[in-house]
Amino acid sequence: MDILLALETSCDETTAAVIAGGHRILSNVVLTQEVLHRRFGGVVPELAAREHIRGIVPVVEQALRDAAVTWSDLSAVAVANGPGLAPALVVGVNMAKGIALAHGLPLIAVNHLEGHIYANWLVKTRHPGADTAQPPELPAVCLVVSGGHTELVIMEDHLQYRLLGRTRDDAAGEAFDKVARLLGLGFPGGPLIERAAQRATPEQDQPPLTRPWLRGTYDFSFSGVKTAMLRHVEAAGGTAALTPAMVSAYAAAFQQTVVDVLVGKTCQAADQFRARCILLAGGVAANGALRDTLASAAAVPVQMPTIDLCTDNAAMIGAAGYRRWQAGHVADWDLEISPSAQLVSTP
Ligand code: KG4
Ligand code: ZN
């Protein structure tokens, strides 16, 4: 059985995982820097890099321990080399190169967004015979929604994607983070908006928001919703003047607007391209309203990773890395980081 060690340090999580057979999680250690970056209201790349340097060795050792494997059990090392923050990516890539060189293992480079998609193939069992999960059927329409990206792609076959649309301005997660700041909720914004929205009551009026459909395309745009939210907050007297009831109502209105557009376009694409399923991926895929709305609106099966596997983790890099490795995609020793790598290159 092939056992991969995978590393992921593209943003503010230092993470290492051990994956068997391309999909079974033997371990998945995630060291988050959330508390460190919170007081800056966003991720500071140099601080992230420093914490990755501090954390990467213990995290890798913990991943091997949790999986009960040794270096000699490993068949390959996979690492996310982009997209992401340059100083942060460097740490994971150099660590992976060092391990591969020292232990004579192939080095596999993985696109972070492809990793998010492949989180849908992961199963949380150590035992080969206990695989119960149904792997997604292709072609699939994939909605990848993270802090830096919002992409709708069709995955015709493994490792093959065609871009249908992407955001023209803010990524979905970025919009959640910015609106959370506007509402005085803090960072990272997605989970805080979701929690505030859950407290919304019918008594409190929600601000009217126009859904940015951009008809005739599968592109997205969220900056207008964000500006509209700013106007509503200003009209209410600014962030400090918002009552908890207003914050909840505003969060609920914003969240539903974004979710409706994401779900509407994804279902339309699944229909048009006769997808056999829809795959949800990326940090924003942890959002309960998005998960529920998509699951009930879609005419085909919807697969989504468990919540802990939606946000950044190395297990997903292991799942994608395994497919890349099987397809013969082994990186050279001069592998570079690729901070603005795309999942699908545009002509
Ligand atoms: O994929 P990810 O962990 O990192 C990137 O690759 O960017 O995504 C992080 C993003 C952040 O913008 C965060 O606010 C958002 O995912 N997020 C959520 C939720 N959990 C994380 N957005 C909405 N609802 C959530 N529950
Ligand atoms: Zn991510």
Side-chain angles (χ1 to χ4, degrees):
M1 181 56 68
D2 293 314
I3 297 186
L4 261 78
L5 173 68
L7 308 183
E8 151 66 49
T9 64
S10 65
C11 192
D12 61 343
E13 329 277 348
T14 313
T15 150
V18 177
I19 302 298
H23 64 284
R24 277 185 296 115
I25 303 177
L26 302 189
S27 67
N28 188 27
V29 179
V30 180
L31 178 65
T32 179
Q33 307 171 4
E34 204 176 288
V35 175
L36 173 73
H37 298 287
R38 195 177 286 156
R39 70 193 149 109
F40 301 104
V43 179
V44 183
E46 287 72 19
L47 288 185
R50 193 188 66 190
E51 291 306 300
H52 287 316
I53 290 167
R54 280 194 184 142
I56 191 74
V57 171
V59 163
V60 167
E61 287 173 344
Q62 184 70 43
L64 294 177
R65 255 195 317 272
D66 286 0
V69 299
T70 63
W71 296 110
S72 60
D73 295 318
L74 300 178
S75 307
V77 182
V79 62
N81 73 323
L85 304 171
L89 288 165
V90 164
V91 181
V93 168
N94 283 338
M95 182 74 181
K97 280 184 186 176
I99 292 172
L101 199 56
H103 298 282
L105 300 170
L107 176 69
I108 321 295
V110 175
N111 178 294
H112 177 85
L113 301 174
E114 182 166 71
H116 275 304
I117 290 174
Y118 272 92
N120 282 294
W121 271 265
L122 288 168
V123 293
K124 290 182 177 176
T125 171
R126 301 175 64 89
H127 307 292
D131 287 3
T132 47
Q134 275 289 53
E137 292 191 38
L138 303 177
V141 160
C142 314
L143 175 67
V144 188
V145 269
S146 70
H149 294 83
T150 299
E151 316 232 330
L152 193 61
V153 300
I154 176 137
M155 183 174 182
E156 322 260 11
D157 204 344
H158 281 289
L159 310 174
Q160 283 175 29
Y161 316 92
R162 196 150 52 84
L163 183 71
L164 302 178
R166 58 163 58 123
T167 183
R168 295 183 181 176
D169 39 62
D170 291 351
E174 189 182 355
F176 269 91
D177 293 338
K178 288 176 176 170
V179 168
R181 204 172 308 151
L182 190 64
L183 297 178
L185 287 169
F187 171 85
L192 297 169
I193 295 254
E194 179 170 11
R195 243 172 283 147
Q198 281 162 355
R199 292 191 292 266
T201 57
E203 294 82 62
Q204 178 69 49
D205 289 340
Q206 293 191 4
L209 293 171
T210 308
R211 275 136 181 76
W213 286 113
L214 305 187
R215 295 211 186 268
T217 115
Y218 283 116
D219 279 352
F220 300 93
S221 168
F222 297 114
S223 74
V225 188
K226 186 188 64 188
T227 310
M229 289 296 295
L230 173 66
R231 299 283 169 262
H232 286 300
V233 170
E234 281 173 351
T239 304
L242 299 176
T243 63
M246 287 163 85
V247 169
S248 290
Y250 284 37
F254 167 76
Q255 176 175 270
Q256 203 52 53
T257 301
V258 172
V259 164
D260 285 349
V261 175
L262 292 173
V263 168
K265 294 208 172 216
T266 305
C267 291
Q268 194 186 336
D271 199 34
Q272 181 179 345
F273 296 100
R274 300 182 196 288
R276 297 181 72 179
C277 77
I278 292 172
L279 302 181
L280 187 58
V284 183
N287 185 274
L290 175 58
R291 296 167 80 88
D292 295 347
T293 310
L294 183 58
S296 52
V300 291
V302 181
Q303 302 241 4
M304 44 193 118
T306 55
I307 300 218
D308 57 319
L309 295 175
C310 287
T311 46
D312 291 350
N313 65 86
M316 68 187 198
I317 303 301
Y322 177 81
R323 292 279 172 180
R324 287 271 159 210
W325 181 40
Q326 295 296 295
H329 301 180
V330 174
D332 291 327
W333 294 119
D334 60 357
L335 171 71
E336 304 254 16
I337 58 162
S338 188
S340 45
Q342 310 225 349
L343 178 62
V344 188
S345 45
T346 34

